[in-house]
């Protein structure tokens, strides 16, 4: 029976550490501050933004929200970002995606000051990740990496297969694992003989965004299975990219959905916000 990787437990431990760290920073006159921009009334985006605000409050990070109307144009949003870039009290800036169709999302992401880009989507920060000299890490991949470390999973020299090549999870995940000296295979919709590839993985990361896509026969005996997917099945029930019951029988460790990778993402955003402020204020660890 596989060990269930408890993302909630790890998240709570990290949050407790950050609360102490922020308190110590405050005593030195250093106040991490996260600004979140939301455009329009997308219900899912509102939930995500509220969860980020709650995490800030729990840790002691100053939180600012900028809620813009659905009809906001690109230039108006860019102007706000310029103001926040220039605001010395701001540690991190995040624009909740997706934005309405009339907004150039790439221009928005590229306008955020790289030193305040706590999502790590700016090309400058992507380049630093490629070079392996990044200070901050993309939130969901960082959450995966942290779970692996907390559960003592050996990464160096291991075969890591990632299903899905999105710019948010798959691609940066492949870079993080490469930087940790894993042998990485990044699979996608054009990959041939996918099952043959995944069944050789010591670490299998499913981030394809398709419910119950990964079956038990795609998993190597004893592999560590990380399910990044958050989907709804045909009955509307929350599920991951993996068929949990099948994959659990083959894996040595596995993340559940919910309760695995999900709780880690926002905690990594908080970590990046603290790190960004410490770097800007030249505060040593």
């Amino acid at each position: 029976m596989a060990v269930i990787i408890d993302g909630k437990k790890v998240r709570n431990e990290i949050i407790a550490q950050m609360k102490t760290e922020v308190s110590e920073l405050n005593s030195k006159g250093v106040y991490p501050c996260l600004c979140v921009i939301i455009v329009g009334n997308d219900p899912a985006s509102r939930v995500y933004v509220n969860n980020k605000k709650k995490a800030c409050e729990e840790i002691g990070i100053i939180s600012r929200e900028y809620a813009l109307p659905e009809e906001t144009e690109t230039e108006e949003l860019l102007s706000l970002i310029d103001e926040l870039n220039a605001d010395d009290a701001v540690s991190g800036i995040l624009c909740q995606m997706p934005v309405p169709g009339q907004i150039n999302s790439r221009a928005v992401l590229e306008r955020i000051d790289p030193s305040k880009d706590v999502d790590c989507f700016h090309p400058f920060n992507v380049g630093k990740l490629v070079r392996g000299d990044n200070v901050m890490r993309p939130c969901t991949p960082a959450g995966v990496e942290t779970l692996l470390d907390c559960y003592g999973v050996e990464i160096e020299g291991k075969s890591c297969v990632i299903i899905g090549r999105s710019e948010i999870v798959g691609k940066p995940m492949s870079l993080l694992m490469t930087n940790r000296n894993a042998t990485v295979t990044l699979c996608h919709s054009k990959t041939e003989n996918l099952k043959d590839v995944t069944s050789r993985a010591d670490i299998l990361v499913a981030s394809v965004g398709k419910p119950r896509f990964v079956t038990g026969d795609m998993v190597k005996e004893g592999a560590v299975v990380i399910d990044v997917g958050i989907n709804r099945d045909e009955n509307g029930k929350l599920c991951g990219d993996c068929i949990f019951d099948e994959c659990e029988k083959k894996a040595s460790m596995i993340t559940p959905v919910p309760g695995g990778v999900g709780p880690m993402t926002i905690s990594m955003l908080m970590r990046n916000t603290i790190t960004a402020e410490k770097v800007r204020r030249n505060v040593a660890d």
Side-chain angles (χ1 to χ4, degrees):
M1 187 67 69
V3 172
I4 307 300
I5 296 175
D6 190 341
K8 291 182 180 179
K9 179 176 180 290
V10 175
R11 178 261 184 204
N12 290 340
E13 292 170 353
I14 292 171
I15 291 292
Q17 293 168 3
M18 287 191 287
K19 286 175 69 173
T20 300
E21 185 176 0
V22 169
S23 179
E24 292 174 353
L25 288 172
N26 290 170
S27 70
K28 300 174 183 178
V30 178
Y31 300 93
C33 172
L34 175 64
C35 293
V36 178
I37 304 168
I38 179 171
V39 185
N41 304 302
D42 181 76
S45 291
R46 171 45 61 192
V47 170
Y48 293 141
V49 168
N50 288 346
N51 287 340
K52 289 163 186 174
K53 290 168 67 176
K54 289 177 183 177
C56 284
E57 182 178 351
E58 184 177 2
I59 295 168
I61 293 173
I62 297 168
S63 174
R64 295 192 205 165
E65 179 187 314
Y66 296 83
L68 303 182
E70 186 81 21
E71 61 272 16
T72 299
E73 295 291 340
T74 299
E75 288 305 317
E76 183 180 353
L77 180 50
L78 295 180
S79 178
L80 172 59
I81 291 171
D82 288 342
E83 291 178 17
L84 298 178
N85 283 340
D87 188 339
D88 190 55
V90 174
S91 314
I93 303 167
L94 180 153
C95 184
Q96 184 66 46
M97 296 293 167
V99 290
Q102 77 275 9
I103 294 176
N104 183 334
S105 59
R106 187 169 293 275
V108 169
L109 296 176
E110 293 181 359
R111 193 64 158 254
I112 296 173
D113 183 335
S115 70
K116 299 185 179 186
D117 170 35
V118 286
D119 261 338
C120 298
F121 290 158
H122 192 285
F124 180 83
N125 288 328
V126 174
K128 294 194 77 172
L129 183 61
V130 171
R131 286 174 38 155
D133 60 359
N134 53 298
V135 176
M136 297 183 287
R137 299 173 295 165
C139 298
T140 299
V144 172
E145 184 180 19
T146 300
L147 286 176
L148 293 174
D149 288 339
C150 287
Y151 275 79
V153 176
E154 187 175 352
I155 297 173
E156 183 170 339
K158 299 302 181 180
S159 170
C160 177
V161 174
I162 301 161
I163 312 174
R165 56 178 170 181
S166 74
E167 295 182 3
I168 296 174
V169 180
K171 288 181 181 179
M173 189 79 246
S174 72
L175 292 170
L176 285 180
M177 293 294 97
T178 298
N179 293 343
R180 293 288 297 273
N181 297 317
T183 300
V184 178
T185 304
L186 184 59
C187 299
H188 44 78
S189 60
K190 305 301 181 185
T191 299
E192 297 181 353
N193 303 315
L194 179 62
K195 185 168 71 173
D196 292 341
V197 178
T198 62
S199 61
R200 295 194 294 268
D202 300 307
I203 302 170
L204 179 61
V205 181
S207 60
V208 69
K210 294 183 179 180
R212 301 169 64 83
F213 179 82
V214 178
T215 55
D217 60 356
M218 297 172 68
V219 177
K220 176 183 176 180
E221 193 74 43
V224 176
V225 178
I226 305 293
D227 191 345
V228 184
I230 301 179
N231 313 291
R232 297 282 177 182
D233 64 16
E234 61 276 7
N235 299 313
K237 183 180 178 182
L238 196 66
C239 67
D241 287 352
C242 300
I243 300 179
F244 183 86
D245 293 344
E246 292 185 11
C247 295
E248 182 190 16
K249 293 175 183 177
K250 300 283 288 294
S252 60
M253 298 184 189
I254 188 170
T255 59
V257 177
V261 176
M264 297 297 297
T265 298
I266 290 180
S267 64
M268 294 297 101
L269 174 65
M270 301 297 109
R271 166 51 57 201
N272 282 347
T273 302
I274 296 169
T275 298
E277 183 66 9
K278 290 170 70 174
V279 170
R280 287 185 340 109
R281 304 300 181 193
N282 197 27
V283 176
D285 284 317

